[in-house]
Amino acid sequence: LYDYILNKELKQSPRLSYLIETSWTINTLNNMIGFAGLVDVGLRYSFYADEEKPDASMQAISRVIPYFMSGFSFMSLIALVLITVFPSSSDIHRYWPALLAAALYLPFILFIDWFCVSSFFILVGRCLGYSLPISELVPLFMISITVGIMSMIPGSLGSFDLVMVTGLVSLGLDKVQALSWIFVYRLFYYMCPFAVGVILFIKNMGGKINEKYLGIPQKALESIS
């Protein structure tokens, strides 16, 4: 099933027989050899990577591979709860730090992205001098993000802002303060990074386009300048 999802990420539809055979091979060899997942990644790249798009294939594999350990992490959490709730006479409870480390893997993978985003939003408010309780801000932020995603508007422009402004006003800010908070957040989380991204895109793709068309685009820009 992991490899089925991986091939979906790679936009490939291999034969079911091929998928079963290769997945069986990968998992059994990885179980025996391991090498901290290097065999896992290497074999999946060898079997499923698109030779014409090696970088894209590796990116897709890198996105999916971390979630392969999610079940292990969840079971470690269950085990940690069990040895805490039901103390045993054996010495197994002494190894609870190992279980805790494994159990923290799943929330780390799932939540670090959005934890950083919400923390940045709260930090913007603090920098502007708006001290609202985090217990109110985090739910409001996540609700606004959810509404924005459901609206399917690029960048959640408008939908996120409307819910957030309404919520911030209800928490005691006036509309100008709420709008300034959202504007600064969007400026430094969306607009500035996007501008840098466009520059980097032009830098990297511009050279390839210029080479493809025998240097004509560069000469045209120089002439216009």
Side-chain angles (χ1 to χ4, degrees):
L1 292 175
Y2 283 134
D3 291 319
Y4 173 78
I5 295 170
L6 173 60
N7 277 276
K8 287 293 184 182
E9 283 287 311
L10 294 170
K11 296 179 173 58
Q12 298 176 162
S13 300
R15 300 190 319 275
L16 180 60
S17 59
Y18 178 80
L19 186 62
I20 293 174
E21 292 171 5
T22 53
S23 185
W24 181 279
T25 303
I26 292 167
N27 284 283
T28 51
L29 290 178
N30 184 64
N31 287 341
M32 287 296 294
I33 304 173
F35 285 123
L38 292 178
V39 172
D40 206 4
V41 175
L43 289 176
R44 282 188 165 87
Y45 183 82
S46 298
F47 282 126
Y48 305 133
D50 186 344
E51 295 180 356
E52 296 180 0
K53 301 177 181 178
D55 293 337
S57 297
M58 182 52 74
Q59 289 174 8
I61 293 171
S62 300
R63 285 197 303 269
V64 174
I65 287 291
Y67 293 96
F68 285 18
M69 297 289 286
S70 58
F72 168 73
S73 179
F74 183 71
M75 289 304 298
S76 298
L77 176 61
I78 293 176
L80 184 63
V81 172
L82 288 175
I83 66 171
T84 304
V85 177
F86 305 102
S88 172
S89 58
S90 67
D91 291 334
I92 193 172
H93 64 275
R94 293 192 303 174
Y95 301 101
W96 66 266
L99 285 177
L100 179 62
L104 290 176
Y105 178 86
L106 179 59
F108 177 80
I109 289 294
L110 294 178
F111 300 130
I112 187 170
D113 183 20
W114 288 108
F115 173 79
C116 291
V117 176
S118 56
S119 297
F120 179 73
F121 180 81
I122 293 170
L123 178 63
V124 169
R126 291 288 189 270
C127 291
L128 293 174
Y130 307 146
S131 298
L132 296 177
I134 293 177
S135 59
E136 300 277 1
L137 284 175
V138 171
L140 174 60
F141 181 78
M142 296 311 298
I143 291 169
S144 302
I145 288 289
T146 303
V147 172
I149 292 173
M150 292 173 64
S151 70
M152 301 183 70
I153 299 173
S156 302
L157 191 62
S159 53
F160 167 85
D161 309 78
L162 179 61
V163 175
M164 185 56 71
V165 168
T166 304
L168 291 175
V169 170
S170 69
L171 292 177
L173 297 184
D174 59 42
K175 288 185 178 180
V176 174
Q177 291 175 320
L179 288 170
S180 67
W181 189 340
I182 293 171
F183 174 76
V184 175
Y185 166 71
R186 283 199 173 276
L187 178 65
F188 288 101
Y189 189 77
Y190 288 94
M191 300 176 190
C192 290
F194 176 75
V196 174
V198 170
I199 293 172
L200 293 175
F201 175 82
I202 294 173
K203 174 180 176 294
N204 289 285
M205 292 302 295
K208 295 180 180 179
I209 293 173
N210 190 59
E211 290 177 6
K212 183 177 180 180
Y213 292 99
L214 306 176
I216 295 175
Q218 182 179 353
K219 293 177 180 178
L221 287 174
E222 289 174 353
S223 299
I224 293 171
S225 300

